[in-house]
Amino acid sequence: MNDQLKRIFGIDLGTTYSSIAYVDEYGKAVVLPNAENQRVTPSVVFFDGDSIVVGEIAKECSKLYPNEVVSFIKRSMGESDFIYEYKKRAYRPEELSSYVLRKLAQDAETSLGEKVTDVVITCPAYFGINEREATRVAGEIAGFNVRQIINEPTAAAIAYGAAEPSEKKVVLVYDLGGGTFDITMIEIRIDSIEVICTGGDHNLGGKDWDDRIVAYLVQEFQKTLDTDEDILEDPDTWQDLQLSAERSKKILSQRDITPISITHGGERIKVVLERKKFEEITQDLLERTVVFTQEMLQEAKAKGYSDFDEIILVGGATRMPQIPHRLKEEFGSEPKMFDPDEAVAKGAAIYGWKLSLNDGLAIRIADKSIKGMDHDSIIDLTPDLIVKQMPQEVADAVGYTIGAIKKSRVSIKDVTSKSFGVVVRNPEDRELVYNLIVKNTPVPVDVTKAFFTAVVNQETVFIRIMENESKEETVFLSESMEIGTAILKLPNGLPAEQPIEISFKLNEEGRLQIAAVETKESSSVNVAVETKSVIHGKELDEAISRNQSIIIY
Ligand code: AMP
């Protein structure tokens, strides 16, 4: 690579599979194979004594050592009560995910001969503050400089826009991965990607289709052997059925029928699963995605977008034929399958490439070292503008092709998938959440709103920062989740009804900062919302040093 530009890698940290990509000198996003020569790596961690095994081998080991193998970690990202215990040590989801990230980076380093230091990691658009922060921390534990967390559908749209450029197109990105479903409306132009609206379900993915097959197999076992034993209580059988279910699901994407054998307690039976039956037992899951899509379309309509040009399918689970079939039936147009396993990592890599070029240009502008450019005239230009106005000069300066430079021009505008507010009391003295930022608002966004103290001589204002999914300005407390708190100390002797201004600032990657000001004597408090459910402080330092000393296979 050109040694003056720092490479920024794109990582798709998936529920079931993960992958890593970079942009080559010609501007092409390339997924790097792992040590097993596969382009996607199962996001599965096997604790094998003092070492850790990640990927296909870990997945295979889940049969033999079900208690030492952890899968579907992403579904627990940002949850404080998820703990995996091994040899009396507790591991949180961010630390477990850091092993997956390390494995990806390690193998990429071997294949490319270059160290992975800076990364862009993707997460579902649906992720809230806690889950996003946990994803970032996972990267930090793995030793990366996490440059940005971007949304998976946005990354897929970046890859799509780069692969099939068009003047203007409104697309629906239907993203069904292993554990999450995101539906996003995006306007793609030659040099911009603008997210209009997003929706989805954090807990709906290919894994749920697997679980339905597992439940069906249990039933068939019970019926055939005339027993009511819950065979899933046996961890070996549970793991075995999970693996067979996923395998059968994939076969049914190609064929109409698949044989499955179930072995448990010395008995072995054979079940034949037809695609028709599989579609029948999973119909309601598919319908849930249609309902989420319709809901999102209603919100888009309210924003003036009543139509779209194409449906793009990403995520491995969209390979199930019932998905395009049902979407065509509902929306009339034939959905397009777009690089379902790699689009997200590639889009993240293209985004990383843009950041890396901007960094490189910023340094060169500062030290006036871009050959062939009049530095007095470019000193006031941003790297973006320089790339736009002088692509050939930039290409010559950094040693990439002009095609690669043009690919970096994409500008991204995203929206927040959650609403954020504070707890207030209404005139009936009932606690409610007042949303300052409502979901599907473009980010970055900065909102200030005045609230009032309740009593004479109030000493403090206790601010409870809440996250929810409502589109309304006020929401019941029970429909919101507390993500942080702050205390504003007030000066003595204030009357009641004193205005307090609260500001919420949400950046492009979903990080929230709040400020509160008492306007009379200007006492103030600033809080970067520190999510309680994510490792921090000493626990984080320990996880980082543990990570460095562990060997990952
Ligand atoms: P992703 O998170 O995008 O890697 O998607 C992973 C999900 O896609 C898992 O649930 C896989 O079982 C599922 N998947 C991958 N390939 C296929 C296939 N050919 N047919 C059905 N599901 C698949």
Side-chain angles (χ1 to χ4, degrees), residues 12-18 40 43 59 72 74 152 175-180 205-210 245-254 278 314-321 340-342 344:
D12 171 5
L13 179 60
T15 311
T16 44
Y17 296 93
S18 297
V40 293
S43 312
K59 190 169 171 182
F72 307 110
K74 186 167 167 184
E152 286 160 11
D175 180 0
L176 189 64
T180 53
K207 159 92 168 65
D208 298 283
W209 271 258
D210 300 347
E246 194 196 3
R247 217 175 291 126
S248 316
K249 175 186 71 176
K250 288 182 176 172
I251 293 172
L252 289 175
S253 293
Q254 306 289 330
F278 170 57
V314 293
T318 58
R319 287 212 175 84
M320 294 183 291
D341 298 321
E342 300 187 356
V344 171

Side-chain angles (χ1 to χ4, degrees), residues 381-396:
L381 297 181
T382 60
D384 269 346
L385 277 173
I386 294 180
V387 170
K388 197 167 178 181
Q389 291 177 10
M390 293 170 260
Q392 187 62 58
E393 285 85 343
V394 172
D396 293 344

Side-chain angles (χ1 to χ4, degrees), residues 20-152:
I20 182 165
Y22 76 105
V23 169
D24 70 11
E25 283 72 357
Y26 305 98
K28 193 165 171 271
V30 181
V31 166
L32 288 158
N34 61 19
E36 294 76 40
N37 209 18
Q38 291 165 330
R39 299 161 73 79
V40 293
T41 301
S43 312
V44 181
V45 177
F46 168 40
F47 284 78
D48 183 17
D50 289 332
S51 48
I52 286 183
V53 182
V54 172
E56 197 55 45
I57 298 165
K59 190 169 171 182
E60 285 305 320
C61 286
S62 61
K63 252 194 215 173
L64 284 174
Y65 310 101
N67 297 326
E68 281 84 36
V69 174
V70 201
S71 324
F72 307 110
I73 305 156
K74 186 167 167 184
R75 281 198 158 174
S76 306
M77 275 310 227
E79 281 176 18
S80 52
D81 48 4
F82 178 94
I83 298 236
Y84 169 75
E85 255 192 46
Y86 180 71
K87 289 194 175 169
K88 298 209 170 89
R89 176 166 285 155
Y91 294 86
R92 305 264 292 260
E94 16 327 10
E95 189 167 3
L96 295 167
S97 298
S98 77
Y99 299 137
V100 177
L101 294 171
R102 274 271 311 274
K103 157 82 176 163
L104 293 173
Q106 216 171 269
D107 290 357
E109 285 167 1
T110 311
S111 121
L112 200 62
E114 186 183 313
K115 194 132 183 66
V116 176
T117 56
D118 289 40
V119 297
V120 169
I121 307 178
T122 59
C123 75
Y126 203 72
F127 265 15
I129 296 269
N130 288 346
E131 298 97 316
R132 278 170 201 274
E133 192 55 25
T135 306
R136 171 177 283 279
V137 167
E140 285 168 7
I141 297 174
F144 301 142
N145 180 15
V146 182
R147 296 296 301 271
Q148 198 148 329
I149 303 291
I150 66 169
N151 290 336
E152 286 160 11

Side-chain angles (χ1 to χ4, degrees), residues 258-302:
T258 180
I260 310 170
S261 73
I262 312 172
T263 311
H264 171 76
E267 301 280 358
R268 184 183 173 91
I269 71 155
K270 189 176 141 199
V271 176
V272 173
L273 180 60
E274 292 184 11
R275 187 193 285 168
K276 207 160 154 269
K277 182 73 191 172
F278 170 57
E279 292 179 357
E280 186 190 308
I281 60 177
T282 54
Q283 176 71 23
D284 61 310
L285 300 173
L286 179 54
E287 287 313 310
R288 261 166 72 191
T289 71
V290 174
V291 170
F292 279 116
T293 306
Q294 289 291 14
E295 280 177 6
M296 190 280 287
L297 287 174
Q298 283 307 316
E299 286 187 45
K301 215 176 200 169

Side-chain angles (χ1 to χ4, degrees), residues 329-490:
E329 184 182 272
E330 183 78 14
F331 301 107
S333 72
E334 189 79 57
K336 255 180 153 172
M337 178 78 78
F338 177 66
D339 209 358
D341 298 321
E342 300 187 356
V344 171
K346 286 179 177 170
I350 296 171
Y351 191 77
W353 156 233
K354 176 190 167 69
L355 295 178
S356 128
L357 183 62
N358 280 6
D359 286 356
L361 286 176
I363 295 169
R364 286 151 203 258
I365 293 167
D367 66 14
K368 302 192 173 183
S369 64
I370 309 182
K371 229 174 43 206
M373 287 192 192
D374 167 7
H375 285 91
D376 291 334
S377 66
I378 64 164
I379 202 76
D380 293 331
L381 297 181
T382 60
D384 269 346
L385 277 173
I386 294 180
V387 170
K388 197 167 178 181
Q389 291 177 10
M390 293 170 260
Q392 187 62 58
E393 285 85 343
V394 172
D396 293 344
V398 298
Y400 277 65
T401 64
I402 187 143
I405 300 303
K406 285 189 174 159
K407 218 161 249 182
S408 78
R409 271 176 41 182
V410 59
S411 81
I412 319 271
K413 285 199 193 113
D414 220 320
V415 296
T416 165
S417 63
K418 306 279 178 191
S419 301
F420 300 98
V422 289
V423 176
V424 295
R425 280 186 184 279
N426 70 1
E428 290 81 47
D429 206 27
R430 190 157 161 219
E431 284 194 318
L432 284 175
V433 174
Y434 184 96
N435 279 332
L436 280 92
I437 296 174
V438 176
K439 85 179 221 200
N440 280 322
T441 301
V443 286
V445 59
D446 193 346
V447 180
T448 300
K449 166 103 188 129
F451 296 90
F452 300 92
T453 53
V455 292
V456 178
N457 255 339
Q458 189 168 322
E459 289 175 4
T460 55
V461 180
F462 181 58
I463 304 164
R464 290 178 67 195
I465 306 149
M466 310 296 283
E467 179 181 283
N468 59 78
E469 303 205 349
S470 170
K471 287 166 273 181
E472 309 301 324
E473 206 166 60
T474 53
V475 195
F476 290 127
L477 213 55
S478 57
E479 290 168 20
S480 260
M481 184 178 75
E482 184 181 291
I483 52 167
T485 55
I487 293 178
L488 172 66
K489 286 208 171 74
L490 297 175

